[in-house]
Amino acid sequence: MSKKFKKQAMVKLCVWTDEDIGPMNMDEQMKIVEKAIKERRFYLESINPPKNG
């Protein structure tokens, strides 16, 4: 039995930071994201661009 899924656009939030977020926990990372959103220092990037054809 196959299911049909509606294709949805996916975007990711990209934040500029001088900090290494590798060893940080999720709460620390979310503080950086919140600050970037308040300061408008982010951009959105498409994860699944449309297929040509």
Side-chain angles (χ1 to χ4, degrees):
M1 187 164 119
S2 66
K3 294 181 180 181
K4 292 186 178 183
F5 294 98
K6 185 176 180 180
K7 183 167 176 145
Q8 296 180 357
M10 299 288 292
V11 295
K12 65 180 175 180
L13 176 71
C14 302
V15 174
W16 287 281
T17 178
D18 293 332
E19 300 179 41
D20 180 14
I21 63 169
M24 291 183 181
N25 66 33
M26 185 60 76
D27 290 335
E28 292 170 321
Q29 292 178 23
M30 290 310 298
K31 286 179 186 176
I32 291 172
V33 171
E34 287 174 16
K35 181 180 177 189
I37 290 172
K38 286 180 185 175
E39 295 175 0
R40 299 182 188 268
R41 292 179 44 88
F42 69 93
Y43 67 96
L44 299 175
E45 186 176 290
S46 177
I47 292 175
N48 57 345
K51 294 179 182 177
N52 294 334

